[in-house]
Amino acid sequence: MRIIGTSSVGDIRGLFKTLSVTVQDVERFLKASGKRFAYDDQLGFLTSCPSKVGTALRASVLVKLIRLGQCPGFNDMVKRLKLRVRREHLGDLNVDYEGVYDQNRQHGGKKRYTGIFDVSNVESLGKSETHLINTMIIGVGRLIELELKLERGESVDCTKIGWD
């Protein structure tokens, strides 16, 4: 089972609250049916995908980082912020957004860089859902701050930025 929530207004905490209520409703339904989610006291929630053991929560936002995404050390910096970027997420889904590499027909089907990234949490094991959401919010905020510095013509050294 996968529960997905989306919002176009950027209210991540509000969306998280709505999803939490939805999960609680599903848990109540399962309990009334004599069932429950697979859970281990040490590992957390168990899933069919080992990378999702723990909270199984993946929180993500789409963010435009045209300049920062091209800086040397960008990927390593994102990892130090305990985040993950997916560069071709939207293109794979064929959604009507500009993915990081847009293959639309007006460009002859050739890939072009758009600077839009799907940024998400990388941790799940041993962390609470609230911790994961807050880590993502703080990390994405930091990425946006850095992008704005580059827009103002200031320099950014991605090799020196991480989770403080």
Side-chain angles (χ1 to χ4, degrees):
M1 172 187 296
R2 179 182 285 192
I3 300 172
I4 300 173
T6 61
S7 171
S8 61
V9 296
D11 182 11
I12 296 168
R13 287 188 174 99
L15 181 60
F16 178 64
K17 183 177 180 181
T18 300
L19 288 172
S20 295
V21 169
T22 302
V23 170
Q24 290 169 356
D25 289 345
V26 171
E27 287 176 324
R28 276 193 291 279
F29 173 80
L30 288 173
K31 187 175 182 180
S33 303
K35 297 178 174 42
R36 63 187 180 105
F37 288 121
Y39 186 82
D40 179 85
D41 288 335
Q42 184 176 1
L43 298 174
F45 289 97
L46 305 176
T47 70
S48 59
C49 179
S51 69
K52 302 215 178 355
V53 170
T55 64
L57 175 73
R58 179 180 175 272
S60 69
V61 296
L62 293 176
V63 62
K64 196 166 194 172
L65 305 168
I66 293 206
R67 292 162 188 82
L68 188 62
Q70 297 181 78
C71 285
F74 174 73
N75 290 328
D76 289 333
M77 175 191 62
V78 168
K79 289 176 188 174
R80 287 191 303 276
L81 291 171
K82 300 178 184 172
L83 300 173
R84 169 185 302 137
V85 291
R86 292 185 179 192
R87 294 175 183 263
E88 297 187 39
H89 176 67
L90 297 175
D92 288 347
L93 293 178
N94 222 6
V95 177
D96 191 30
Y97 293 115
E98 286 187 338
V100 168
Y101 293 99
D102 178 17
Q103 294 186 46
N104 82 37
R105 294 177 198 195
Q106 69 190 38
H107 295 95
K110 293 183 181 177
K111 292 182 178 187
R112 70 179 178 91
Y113 178 76
T114 66
I116 298 173
F117 293 86
D118 177 359
V119 182
S120 65
N121 59 296
V122 72
E123 301 174 304
S124 69
L125 189 59
K127 306 291 182 184
S128 72
E129 290 87 349
T130 302
H131 172 82
L132 297 179
I133 293 289
N134 287 333
T135 298
M136 195 259 312
I137 290 170
I138 292 166
V140 169
R142 184 71 174 123
L143 294 175
I144 292 169
E145 288 172 14
L146 295 169
E147 178 70 17
L148 292 173
K149 280 181 81 168
L150 290 169
E151 281 183 14
R152 292 189 301 266
E154 300 174 33
S155 65
V156 170
D157 183 354
C158 290
T159 64
K160 296 182 179 180
I161 298 165
W163 192 258
D164 299 326

